[in-house]
Amino acid sequence: QVQLVESGGGLVQAGGSLRLSCAASGRTFNRFDMGWFRQAPGKEREFVAHITRSGGSTYYADSVLGRFTISRDNAKNTMYLQMNSLKPEDTAVYYCAARDPIYSSRWSYWGQGTQVTVSS
């Protein structure tokens, strides 16, 4: 088991920046791929970004490519999402997730979410 807790959400004007954090506890953090997902009101949860266990590879949704940066600090058991040039359509609850790629491609562990609201 791994427990995930997001923080850093809030209200920001369009064009602004926020940095989300995801603190992990439980099992060894560096055995997990980590990801960010988001869910806007009335919409399905969608993929935002993914970082591999070592941090050597990152992947992004087209909608955030060039504006968001995912990173991790395995020594601190923490993952980050730096969000720049925010747009109103980025408004959503943001969730961090973890998966153990040795055993499954499914995102098995989820945080409780943090709200990001971008005003126009």
Side-chain angles (χ1 to χ4, degrees):
Q1 289 283 347
V2 60
Q3 292 76 44
L4 305 173
V5 178
E6 303 95 336
S7 62
L11 173 64
V12 64
Q13 289 188 332
S17 299
L18 280 175
R19 189 175 83 154
L20 305 183
S21 298
C22 174
S25 60
R27 302 185 71 179
T28 307
F29 182 66
N30 62 10
R31 70 180 288 163
F32 294 97
D33 285 357
M34 299 295 296
W36 287 100
F37 293 76
R38 66 186 182 186
Q39 187 168 19
K43 295 186 177 181
E44 294 187 353
R45 188 175 299 185
E46 65 176 4
F47 167 77
V48 174
H50 159 210
I51 187 166
T52 54
R53 294 183 291 172
S54 67
S57 295
T58 57
Y59 307 89
Y60 296 92
D62 289 344
S63 59
V64 307
L65 189 63
R67 299 187 298 122
F68 290 10
T69 302
I70 189 172
S71 62
R72 66 190 294 164
D73 185 338
N74 285 346
K76 294 183 178 179
N77 289 357
T78 303
M79 173 182 66
Y80 305 97
L81 185 69
Q82 178 66 44
M83 306 186 294
N84 298 330
S85 302
L86 282 161
K87 305 175 181 180
E89 50 264 44
D90 294 318
T91 295
V93 178
Y94 283 70
Y95 299 90
C96 68
R99 70 181 185 190
D100 187 335
I102 293 178
Y103 295 104
S104 176
S105 61
R106 293 179 61 249
W107 296 95
S108 301
Y109 305 99
W110 294 86
Q112 82 289 348
T114 186
Q115 177 70 47
V116 171
T117 303
V118 184
S119 63
S120 56

